[in-house]
Amino acid sequence: MTGVDLGGLTLYPGVYKFDSTASIAAPRGKLTLSGSGLFIFQIGSALKTSLSSQVLLRNGTLPQCVFWLIGSSAVLGSGCKFQGILMASASIGFMDGASLVGAAYAQNAAVTLINNVITVQPACNL
C-alpha cells in the first residue's frame, strides 16, 4: 500500500504493508476500520497524520486489536483522534490535543506528549 493515503478509506481485518511512509492526510482525513479481527499495519519508515485526522472503528473493531508496527517514527497531528497500539522503532510524537485509545511504545527514543489523552485498553482477546 506504499503511496496510498489512508484518509477516506474503509479497511477490513488483515495485514497492510507499506514499504516506506504511511499517512492519513486531509482533506479526507478519516480512516475507517470495519469488522472484528486483527488489523496489522506494517510501515517501513514513518507514520504521519494530518491535523484533526481520525481512525474510526466500526462493526466490532477493537482498538486493542489494531497494531501499527512502524519502522522509524510516528507523528500524530494536532487534534488527531487515533486508535490502536503504536509500536515505533524510534520515536512517537503527539502534537497538541492529539488523543489515542490504545497504547504507544517507542523502542529507541521518546514518546513525546503535548496536552494529550491516552486511554489504555485491555489486551486483544479474539
PDB file of all heavy atoms in Angstrom, residues 3-19:
ATOM      1  N   GLY A   3       2.438   4.589  -0.775  1.00  0.00           N
ATOM      2  CA  GLY A   3       1.946   5.709  -1.570  1.00  0.00           C
ATOM      3  C   GLY A   3       0.456   5.935  -1.481  1.00  0.00           C
ATOM      4  O   GLY A   3      -0.050   6.894  -2.040  1.00  0.00           O
ATOM      5  N   VAL A   4      -0.270   5.061  -0.787  1.00  0.00           N
ATOM      6  CA  VAL A   4      -1.719   5.204  -0.655  1.00  0.00           C
ATOM      7  C   VAL A   4      -2.025   6.003   0.606  1.00  0.00           C
ATOM      8  O   VAL A   4      -1.584   5.643   1.701  1.00  0.00           O
ATOM      9  CB  VAL A   4      -2.401   3.817  -0.570  1.00  0.00           C
ATOM     10  CG1 VAL A   4      -3.883   3.955  -0.281  1.00  0.00           C
ATOM     11  CG2 VAL A   4      -2.174   3.034  -1.844  1.00  0.00           C
ATOM     12  N   ASP A   5      -2.763   7.094   0.462  1.00  0.00           N
ATOM     13  CA  ASP A   5      -3.228   7.856   1.617  1.00  0.00           C
ATOM     14  C   ASP A   5      -4.394   7.092   2.235  1.00  0.00           C
ATOM     15  O   ASP A   5      -5.353   6.746   1.543  1.00  0.00           O
ATOM     16  CB  ASP A   5      -3.661   9.248   1.179  1.00  0.00           C
ATOM     17  CG  ASP A   5      -4.279  10.073   2.286  1.00  0.00           C
ATOM     18  OD1 ASP A   5      -4.106   9.725   3.478  1.00  0.00           O
ATOM     19  OD2 ASP A   5      -4.944  11.076   1.970  1.00  0.00           O
ATOM     20  N   LEU A   6      -4.317   6.814   3.514  1.00  0.00           N
ATOM     21  CA  LEU A   6      -5.364   6.055   4.191  1.00  0.00           C
ATOM     22  C   LEU A   6      -6.629   6.876   4.439  1.00  0.00           C
ATOM     23  O   LEU A   6      -7.684   6.316   4.720  1.00  0.00           O
ATOM     24  CB  LEU A   6      -4.832   5.496   5.510  1.00  0.00           C
ATOM     25  CG  LEU A   6      -3.742   4.432   5.363  1.00  0.00           C
ATOM     26  CD1 LEU A   6      -3.106   4.122   6.713  1.00  0.00           C
ATOM     27  CD2 LEU A   6      -4.305   3.173   4.732  1.00  0.00           C
ATOM     28  N   GLY A   7      -6.526   8.188   4.353  1.00  0.00           N
ATOM     29  CA  GLY A   7      -7.691   9.051   4.548  1.00  0.00           C
ATOM     30  C   GLY A   7      -8.781   8.736   3.542  1.00  0.00           C
ATOM     31  O   GLY A   7      -8.530   8.604   2.356  1.00  0.00           O
ATOM     32  N   GLY A   8     -10.005   8.566   4.038  1.00  0.00           N
ATOM     33  CA  GLY A   8     -11.147   8.292   3.170  1.00  0.00           C
ATOM     34  C   GLY A   8     -11.374   6.819   2.882  1.00  0.00           C
ATOM     35  O   GLY A   8     -12.359   6.456   2.254  1.00  0.00           O
ATOM     36  N   LEU A   9     -10.485   5.938   3.344  1.00  0.00           N
ATOM     37  CA  LEU A   9     -10.618   4.509   3.076  1.00  0.00           C
ATOM     38  C   LEU A   9     -11.372   3.787   4.189  1.00  0.00           C
ATOM     39  O   LEU A   9     -11.371   4.221   5.342  1.00  0.00           O
ATOM     40  CB  LEU A   9      -9.247   3.850   2.934  1.00  0.00           C
ATOM     41  CG  LEU A   9      -8.355   4.305   1.785  1.00  0.00           C
ATOM     42  CD1 LEU A   9      -7.059   3.501   1.796  1.00  0.00           C
ATOM     43  CD2 LEU A   9      -9.069   4.168   0.458  1.00  0.00           C
ATOM     44  N   THR A  10     -11.998   2.659   3.831  1.00  0.00           N
ATOM     45  CA  THR A  10     -12.540   1.699   4.783  1.00  0.00           C
ATOM     46  C   THR A  10     -11.783   0.405   4.567  1.00  0.00           C
ATOM     47  O   THR A  10     -11.731  -0.104   3.442  1.00  0.00           O
ATOM     48  CB  THR A  10     -14.046   1.469   4.573  1.00  0.00           C
ATOM     49  OG1 THR A  10     -14.735   2.708   4.798  1.00  0.00           O
ATOM     50  CG2 THR A  10     -14.576   0.412   5.534  1.00  0.00           C
ATOM     51  N   LEU A  11     -11.162  -0.117   5.642  1.00  0.00           N
ATOM     52  CA  LEU A  11     -10.380  -1.346   5.563  1.00  0.00           C
ATOM     53  C   LEU A  11     -10.974  -2.402   6.487  1.00  0.00           C
ATOM     54  O   LEU A  11     -11.657  -2.078   7.466  1.00  0.00           O
ATOM     55  CB  LEU A  11      -8.920  -1.080   5.940  1.00  0.00           C
ATOM     56  CG  LEU A  11      -8.177  -0.070   5.068  1.00  0.00           C
ATOM     57  CD1 LEU A  11      -6.766   0.164   5.608  1.00  0.00           C
ATOM     58  CD2 LEU A  11      -8.133  -0.519   3.615  1.00  0.00           C
ATOM     59  N   TYR A  12     -10.695  -3.658   6.165  1.00  0.00           N
ATOM     60  CA  TYR A  12     -11.232  -4.804   6.894  1.00  0.00           C
ATOM     61  C   TYR A  12     -10.081  -5.590   7.518  1.00  0.00           C
ATOM     62  O   TYR A  12      -8.926  -5.407   7.137  1.00  0.00           O
ATOM     63  CB  TYR A  12     -12.079  -5.645   5.940  1.00  0.00           C
ATOM     64  CG  TYR A  12     -13.195  -4.804   5.352  1.00  0.00           C
ATOM     65  CD1 TYR A  12     -13.023  -4.140   4.143  1.00  0.00           C
ATOM     66  CD2 TYR A  12     -14.373  -4.622   6.052  1.00  0.00           C
ATOM     67  CE1 TYR A  12     -14.015  -3.319   3.629  1.00  0.00           C
ATOM     68  CE2 TYR A  12     -15.380  -3.801   5.544  1.00  0.00           C
ATOM     69  CZ  TYR A  12     -15.195  -3.150   4.339  1.00  0.00           C
ATOM     70  OH  TYR A  12     -16.183  -2.317   3.846  1.00  0.00           O
ATOM     71  N   PRO A  13     -10.352  -6.465   8.502  1.00  0.00           N
ATOM     72  CA  PRO A  13      -9.262  -7.181   9.176  1.00  0.00           C
ATOM     73  C   PRO A  13      -8.263  -7.772   8.180  1.00  0.00           C
ATOM     74  O   PRO A  13      -8.641  -8.298   7.129  1.00  0.00           O
ATOM     75  CB  PRO A  13      -9.980  -8.265   9.966  1.00  0.00           C
ATOM     76  CG  PRO A  13     -11.327  -7.681  10.259  1.00  0.00           C
ATOM     77  CD  PRO A  13     -11.669  -6.901   9.009  1.00  0.00           C
ATOM     78  N   GLY A  14      -6.989  -7.661   8.526  1.00  0.00           N
ATOM     79  CA  GLY A  14      -5.935  -8.171   7.656  1.00  0.00           C
ATOM     80  C   GLY A  14      -4.612  -7.493   7.935  1.00  0.00           C
ATOM     81  O   GLY A  14      -4.471  -6.729   8.887  1.00  0.00           O
ATOM     82  N   VAL A  15      -3.649  -7.773   7.070  1.00  0.00           N
ATOM     83  CA  VAL A  15      -2.311  -7.197   7.167  1.00  0.00           C
ATOM     84  C   VAL A  15      -2.135  -6.212   6.014  1.00  0.00           C
ATOM     85  O   VAL A  15      -2.404  -6.545   4.855  1.00  0.00           O
ATOM     86  CB  VAL A  15      -1.223  -8.296   7.103  1.00  0.00           C
ATOM     87  CG1 VAL A  15       0.168  -7.682   7.131  1.00  0.00           C
ATOM     88  CG2 VAL A  15      -1.405  -9.293   8.234  1.00  0.00           C
ATOM     89  N   TYR A  16      -1.686  -5.012   6.337  1.00  0.00           N
ATOM     90  CA  TYR A  16      -1.475  -3.949   5.357  1.00  0.00           C
ATOM     91  C   TYR A  16      -0.021  -3.516   5.436  1.00  0.00           C
ATOM     92  O   TYR A  16       0.455  -3.129   6.490  1.00  0.00           O
ATOM     93  CB  TYR A  16      -2.421  -2.772   5.630  1.00  0.00           C
ATOM     94  CG  TYR A  16      -3.871  -3.185   5.517  1.00  0.00           C
ATOM     95  CD1 TYR A  16      -4.572  -3.644   6.632  1.00  0.00           C
ATOM     96  CD2 TYR A  16      -4.516  -3.162   4.296  1.00  0.00           C
ATOM     97  CE1 TYR A  16      -5.892  -4.054   6.520  1.00  0.00           C
ATOM     98  CE2 TYR A  16      -5.833  -3.565   4.170  1.00  0.00           C
ATOM     99  CZ  TYR A  16      -6.519  -4.007   5.296  1.00  0.00           C
ATOM    100  OH  TYR A  16      -7.821  -4.422   5.182  1.00  0.00           O
ATOM    101  N   LYS A  17       0.681  -3.603   4.305  1.00  0.00           N
ATOM    102  CA  LYS A  17       2.125  -3.349   4.295  1.00  0.00           C
ATOM    103  C   LYS A  17       2.454  -2.116   3.466  1.00  0.00           C
ATOM    104  O   LYS A  17       1.974  -1.946   2.346  1.00  0.00           O
ATOM    105  CB  LYS A  17       2.852  -4.559   3.724  1.00  0.00           C
ATOM    106  CG  LYS A  17       4.357  -4.410   3.734  1.00  0.00           C
ATOM    107  CD  LYS A  17       5.022  -5.686   3.278  1.00  0.00           C
ATOM    108  CE  LYS A  17       6.447  -5.510   3.049  1.00  0.00           C
ATOM    109  NZ  LYS A  17       7.450  -5.580   3.827  1.00  0.00           N
ATOM    110  N   PHE A  18       3.323  -1.284   4.053  1.00  0.00           N
ATOM    111  CA  PHE A  18       3.846  -0.086   3.396  1.00  0.00           C
ATOM    112  C   PHE A  18       5.362  -0.204   3.387  1.00  0.00           C
ATOM    113  O   PHE A  18       5.974  -0.355   4.438  1.00  0.00           O
ATOM    114  CB  PHE A  18       3.454   1.177   4.179  1.00  0.00           C
ATOM    115  CG  PHE A  18       1.978   1.409   4.265  1.00  0.00           C
ATOM    116  CD1 PHE A  18       1.205   0.708   5.182  1.00  0.00           C
ATOM    117  CD2 PHE A  18       1.352   2.319   3.437  1.00  0.00           C
ATOM    118  CE1 PHE A  18      -0.157   0.913   5.276  1.00  0.00           C
ATOM    119  CE2 PHE A  18      -0.016   2.537   3.518  1.00  0.00           C
ATOM    120  CZ  PHE A  18      -0.769   1.819   4.438  1.00  0.00           C
ATOM    121  N   ASP A  19       5.980  -0.137   2.215  1.00  0.00           N
ATOM    122  CA  ASP A  19       7.437  -0.222   2.143  1.00  0.00           C
ATOM    123  C   ASP A  19       8.112   0.993   2.748  1.00  0.00           C
ATOM    124  O   ASP A  19       9.247   0.911   3.208  1.00  0.00           O
ATOM    125  CB  ASP A  19       7.896  -0.400   0.695  1.00  0.00           C
ATOM    126  CG  ASP A  19       7.498  -1.752   0.136  1.00  0.00           C
ATOM    127  OD1 ASP A  19       7.405  -2.719   0.916  1.00  0.00           O
ATOM    128  OD2 ASP A  19       7.265  -1.836  -1.086  1.00  0.00           O
TER     129      ASP A  19
END
